[in-house]
Amino acid sequence: MKFLNGILGVLDKTAFAAVAALMGGMGAIAFAAVFYRFVLLSPLRWSEEAARYMMVWVTFLGAGYAMGRGKHIGVTLFIEKLPEKGRRAAIFAAEILILIFLVAVARQGINLIVSLRRQTSPAMGMPMWIPYLAVPAGAVYMFLHVLRMVLTKSVRVLSTADVELDEALKKKEGIE
Amino acid sequence: MISLMLAAFVICFVLGIPLALVLGITGFSVILAMGVPPQLLAQRMFTGIDSFPLMAVPFFILAGDLMNRGGTTARIIAFADSLVGHIRGGLAHANILGSMIFAGISGSAVADTSAIGSIMIPSMEKNGYDLDFSAAVTASSSVIGPIIPPSIIMVIYGVSVNVSIGGLFAAGFIPGILLGLALMLVVLSVSRKRQYPMSEGFSVSRVLKEFRNAAWALFAPVIILGGILGGIFTPTEAAAVAVVYSFFVGKFVFREITWKDLPHILFQSGITTGAILLIISLANVFAWVIAANQIPGRLAAMFLAATSNPYVFLLLVNILLLIVGMFMETGAAIILLAPILAPVAVQLGIHPLHFGFIVVLNLAIGMATPPVGVCLFVACGITGLSLERISKAVMRFVFALIGVLLLVTYVAPISLFLPRLLGFIR
């Protein structure tokens, strides 16, 4: 358990740095592409592809982090109506289902990388395993977060009505 | 196969599993049952988000956040107040007009509620407005956020149904203004009855002063709207320009963003992006499964057997979506329902852009409709009022919004005029 907490601590820190850097990089590259196209009149060839692959990584790292904080969008209406005991059982069942699914995603993601190992991207000539690795990596990251919830017998509902909601409410508290 | 799909979906849904994973688990269990190569799962997850048009979503989220923290909101509100503050119920009108201007920068209703609400609600309270009224005005006017372009949910619709995002943006412009006017009418009638205050009178010099103050902020919608609607930029390009522009203004003109804030702002937008795009990623698995089982076709046949009248169909769709929008997050509802409903609409001869806009507007109204309206939750957070109180106060505004929805549904030119003029429809 201590070990798992340690790993997740490192992963969350890494994800923070990586997501911030990739978001900034995406913005900078996409803006540079506009500048080259409209001002210098010589469009960049690699920019769109690079930004797309960065977005794929942002998605899976961001999704992994969001999993640990219960920030994925879902409908929690039914489960919140359940009595304490039933709710605990339902959350446990949900967590197990999710764990099984994430193992499948990781496995199929790795299979896909193995079968594509010689492919390179059209514009940059980048090996395709680099962008595709985001899928199994994100699955493992989410898996570890859910595993921790199972082990700590967390009773937290797994999703939220809206991702921006908590952030919006938090900002308000900061103002007061 | 269909019963397996339904069972998996309903079980996961009721257990409160995040919607992205509900779609993934349902899709993958059908893939296994059909005996197709399971690698398809990872393949579809990747290709679902490996899309340049979709990149407008993270960029508009980021640009909105940068603009908001950069001190834009207060300046926009001051400018709006100088224009409409002299009408009875002035601050409420300024709240609505502020939302409309803010909508030209941000593409999200929740961002709109929290940005405008945290400034406007306290100042309305100080001036003698009822708290539940202020909260209701703020929440309902936020619906305009994703209607006046740019709009995150329109990008999601455009990507999942494959219609022109620029065209949807153009379609939203006039109805967005109508929504604002409809809300202002409600405000006017309530304010007369309750004798809400107004400011001293209209003054051109004040308008000019506030305009100069807010000019940097007001120029952002000009770049975004002008660029996209003028056909210069794609939505993604405009969004990238908006990110850099809003950072520049917040950092070097208004000087309210520090270098230390930047990683946090980037990261927060990244998390929101991750949660939304994971749904799109796994919905792409689900989409393969429903297409392989010819579900859209069968549903279309069912609908067509029930009615071949496009007006009846649109009414049914509106009722369905209003109900769904009450319970489900907007983007998620679009990803789930739009690819199923849009083909039916096209068969009935409804223009794809018109239909797309109806879906977006309808679900956007759901954000301010109880019991699950995220804008209401934010308004509760700001005011400390209970959901019941705000729900009661918001209903008259919701009826005004629904009135505009019906008008736009049955008078197609309101939404299609601008796309046609700008060449998005040939």
Side-chain angles (χ1 to χ4, degrees):
Chain A
M1 193 62 219
K2 217 175 184 178
F3 182 64
L4 184 59
N5 276 333
I7 293 181
L8 281 171
V10 174
L11 282 178
D12 282 352
K13 274 203 193 99
T14 314
F16 180 95
V19 166
L22 287 168
M23 282 294 286
M26 258 163 70
I29 288 176
F31 182 74
V34 174
F35 188 77
Y36 269 83
R37 186 151 94 88
F38 289 97
V39 182
L40 305 181
L41 301 175
S42 67
L44 297 174
R45 286 197 52 230
W46 53 271
S47 60
E48 187 190 311
E49 194 178 274
R52 277 198 333 247
Y53 295 161
M54 289 163 93
M55 182 168 74
V56 172
W57 269 98
V58 165
T59 302
F60 285 101
L61 291 178
Y65 190 93
M67 197 71 205
R69 311 267 173 311
K71 280 199 166 190
H72 278 288
I73 301 160
V75 176
T76 53
L77 215 62
F78 306 105
I79 195 159
E80 275 165 359
K81 294 261 149 58
L82 288 176
E84 175 76 26
K85 228 180 191 171
R87 203 169 87 178
R88 193 164 290 192
I91 290 175
F92 183 71
E95 286 169 343
I96 298 301
L97 268 174
I98 294 173
L99 287 179
I100 296 171
F101 175 66
L102 290 173
V103 170
V105 174
R107 234 188 92 202
Q108 299 311 327
I110 290 166
N111 285 348
L112 188 65
I113 289 172
V114 171
S115 67
L116 292 175
R117 65 189 174 280
R118 289 207 179 77
Q119 208 176 325
T120 53
S121 71
M124 293 186 293
M126 178 198 263
M128 281 310 283
W129 65 264
I130 297 177
Y132 271 102
L133 185 63
V135 177
V140 170
Y141 186 19
M142 284 189 256
F143 179 90
L144 293 175
H145 266 305
V146 179
L147 184 65
R148 176 162 69 179
M149 290 179 211
V150 174
L151 293 180
T152 53
K153 298 200 175 70
S154 151
V155 286
R156 195 167 50 198
V157 177
L158 292 165
S159 42
T160 165
D162 187 281
V163 251
E164 290 176 287
L165 188 64
D166 303 339
E167 184 58 15
L169 294 175
K170 210 161 56 200
K171 248 182 238 157
K172 158 68 186 152
E173 280 156 22
I175 285 160
E176 275 175 347
Chain B
M1 209 57 78
I2 289 173
S3 46
L4 168 70
M5 200 184 303
L6 265 178
F9 188 89
V10 170
I11 291 172
C12 294
F13 196 77
V14 171
L15 285 176
I17 292 181
L19 198 82
L21 298 167
V22 174
L23 295 173
I25 294 170
T26 310
F28 190 58
S29 48
V30 177
I31 285 180
L32 286 182
M34 286 171 67
V36 280
Q39 263 183 34
L40 191 66
L41 172 68
Q43 176 86 49
R44 297 284 302 191
M45 280 175 74
F46 183 86
T47 53
I49 53 172
D50 181 25
S51 143
F52 192 64
L54 196 58
M55 208 176 295
V57 172
F59 286 165
F60 279 132
I61 294 173
L62 182 56
D65 206 16
L66 285 168
M67 267 284 164
N68 192 15
R69 297 204 200 196
T72 313
T73 321
R75 290 171 172 87
I76 288 178
I77 290 176
F79 174 63
D81 190 46
S82 76
L83 285 175
V84 294
H86 61 285
I87 308 169
R88 184 160 296 283
L91 284 175
H93 293 293
N95 187 329
I96 295 167
L97 186 61
S99 279
M100 290 164 74
I101 300 173
F102 197 76
I105 300 172
S106 119
S108 137
V110 175
D112 193 334
T113 316
S114 70
I116 306 262
S118 52
I119 297 177
M120 212 65 209
I121 292 177
S123 110
M124 287 174 78
E125 195 187 7
K126 230 178 285 160
N127 283 284
Y129 291 81
D130 295 303
L131 201 51
D132 57 347
F133 175 79
S134 313
V137 174
T138 307
S140 56
S141 68
S142 304
V143 169
I144 304 170
I147 299 305
I148 292 185
S151 161
I152 291 166
I153 54 179
M154 284 181 187
V155 175
I156 293 176
Y157 186 95
V159 170
S160 40
V161 182
N162 205 8
V163 299
S164 153
I165 297 168
L168 281 173
F169 280 9
F173 196 74
I174 296 172
I177 293 171
L178 284 181
L179 290 172
L181 292 177
L183 292 176
M184 283 178 165
L185 280 179
V186 179
V187 165
L188 201 62
S189 83
V190 176
S191 302
R192 283 217 176 111
K193 219 181 306 166
R194 301 192 193 165
Q195 287 300 306
Y196 284 143
M198 49 196 159
S199 70
E200 269 141 41
F202 185 79
S203 116
V204 177
S205 68
R206 185 170 161 233
V207 172
L208 284 178
K209 188 186 135 244
E210 295 298 350
F211 178 78
R212 256 194 305 267
N213 248 337
W216 280 97
L218 294 174
F219 194 57
V222 176
I223 302 179
I224 298 172
L225 295 187
I228 300 171
L229 300 185
I232 303 167
F233 294 143
T234 64
T236 305
E237 287 171 337
V241 173
V243 166
V244 173
Y245 179 83
S246 53
F247 174 67
F248 175 80
V249 172
K251 174 73 194 144
F252 298 107
V253 182
F254 299 158
R255 292 169 192 276
E256 297 197 20
I257 296 175
T258 63
W259 287 112
K260 235 181 81 201
D261 297 335
L262 192 61
H264 289 273
I265 297 175
L266 289 170
F267 176 70
Q268 206 54 55
S269 315
I271 297 301
T272 310
T273 302
I276 297 177
L277 263 53
L278 187 71
I279 304 181
I280 297 183
S281 165
L282 285 160
N284 200 39
V285 178
F286 189 73
W288 186 90
V289 163
I290 62 168
N293 287 289
Q294 279 114 31
I295 295 194
R298 289 187 206 183
L299 265 177
M302 253 169 64
F303 264 115
L304 292 173
T307 170
S308 58
N309 181 334
Y311 296 106
V312 178
F313 171 74
L314 285 176
L315 186 69
L316 292 177
V317 167
N318 272 329
I319 294 170
L320 171 75
L321 292 178
L322 280 173
I323 296 170
V324 170
M326 282 178 199
F327 296 98
M328 206 191 268
E329 200 268 341
T330 316
I334 287 177
I335 296 164
L336 193 61
L337 291 177
I340 299 176
L341 293 174
V344 187
V346 171
Q347 279 202 22
L348 285 169
I350 301 163
H351 195 282
L353 274 184
H354 182 214
F355 185 74
F357 179 69
I358 294 171
V359 173
V360 167
L361 174 57
N362 192 317
L363 291 171
I365 293 174
M367 292 195 250
T369 315
V372 184
V374 284
C375 295
L376 298 178
F377 295 163
V378 176
C380 288
I382 295 174
T383 54
L385 291 176
S386 72
L387 187 61
E388 282 76 20
R389 276 281 300 283
I390 296 185
S391 299
K392 228 179 267 166
V394 86
M395 277 330 282
R396 63 173 107 224
F397 293 104
V398 169
F399 286 130
L401 296 175
I402 291 176
V404 176
L405 171 67
L406 289 177
L407 188 69
V408 171
T409 303
Y410 291 112
V411 189
I414 299 175
S415 49
L416 292 183
F417 169 72
L418 213 49
R420 202 163 267 146
L421 186 74
L422 296 170
F424 288 103
I425 302 174
R426 262 179 288 269

